[in-house]
Amino acid sequence: SQKIEQNSEALNIQEGKTATLTCNYTNYSPAYLQWYRQDPGRGPVFLLLIRENEKEKRKERLKVTFDTTLKQSLFHITASQPADSATYLCALDPNAGNMLTFGGGTRLMVKP
Amino acid sequence: DTAVSQTPKYLVTQMGNDKSIKCEQNLGHDTMYWYKQDSKKFLKIMFSYNNKELIINETVPNRFSPKSPDKAHLNLHINSLELGDSAVYFCASSQQGQPQHFGDGTRLSIL
């Protein structure tokens, strides 16, 4: 069966360090992979989208990699700040048609 | 201006009742969605809808039905509410193939 796995345990890091979150999937061939941020009591907010023919995408302090052989995406936040503390969700789109399937999210805590 | 807005923010009701959640987007998007986020925080697609096509996640009970009076609105109707329907329901919108914009959710609690 299809599965998307993110580390369900919270990730605690010190301010200024790089946070790396993992998204693994099985039995999917996604056309797109997206990362969203969700704060408590709020809806997810889009961060980055990477296509199956792209290896890496950057936006300011954020970087996403996509390895379709390993079936894995890594999400990096460099120079992390306490304001980066949130839950981060990866989502797969199998055919660029918008029917997203989300992972369970990883909660990131950045300590000052 | 709020891009995707849902009402109500909180909904507490008895088992067996029928209720609706409203969603409006002012982004001019052609596709709208409903998601359910359960207590374990898994976000699951329920429906995808544009003016041409309704796509239903096959796991969604037919007690749930989306209704779209126009392109900017997609309301969610739920009949005969059950305890297991308690969750946070999110509306979202996008252009085809583009990232989605979410509302802030409706927390539904069934007594």
Side-chain angles (χ1 to χ4, degrees), chain B residues 42-104:
Chain B
F42 277 93
L43 194 62
K44 293 183 181 176
I45 182 75
M46 300 175 72
F47 305 100
S48 167
Y49 182 80
N50 62 25
N51 59 3
K52 298 175 187 175
E53 189 178 18
L54 171 65
I55 301 175
I56 303 171
N57 184 324
E58 60 188 16
T59 66
V60 174
N62 58 14
R63 299 181 295 103
F64 290 79
S65 57
K67 289 190 170 46
S68 181
D70 56 57
K71 189 178 167 183
H73 296 83
L74 184 67
N75 303 324
L76 182 65
H77 296 268
I78 316 169
N79 294 325
S80 302
L81 280 157
E82 300 178 357
L83 288 175
D85 297 334
S86 294
V88 182
Y89 292 85
F90 287 98
C91 176
S93 71
S94 75
Q95 287 295 110
Q96 188 75 12
Q98 296 299 311
Q100 296 181 18
H101 295 251
F102 285 79
D104 280 335

Side-chain angles (χ1 to χ4, degrees), chain A residues 24-76:
Chain A
N24 295 300
Y25 59 93
T26 55
N27 297 324
Y28 272 107
S29 295
Y32 292 170
L33 189 146
Q34 302 181 28
W35 283 89
Y36 288 78
R37 168 185 173 141
Q38 187 173 22
D39 291 283
R42 306 298 300 271
V45 174
F46 170 75
L47 296 173
L48 280 168
L49 179 152
I50 189 165
R51 294 174 173 80
E52 59 181 333
N53 60 351
E54 297 175 319
K55 296 290 185 188
E56 182 178 299
K57 206 78 167 286
R58 291 175 185 261
K59 180 183 174 184
E60 298 172 353
R61 294 184 296 111
L62 308 181
K63 184 178 86 170
V64 171
T65 62
F66 193 11
D67 188 327
T68 55
T69 302
L70 289 179
K71 296 186 181 298
Q72 181 181 78
S73 174
L74 299 178
F75 177 79
H76 306 272

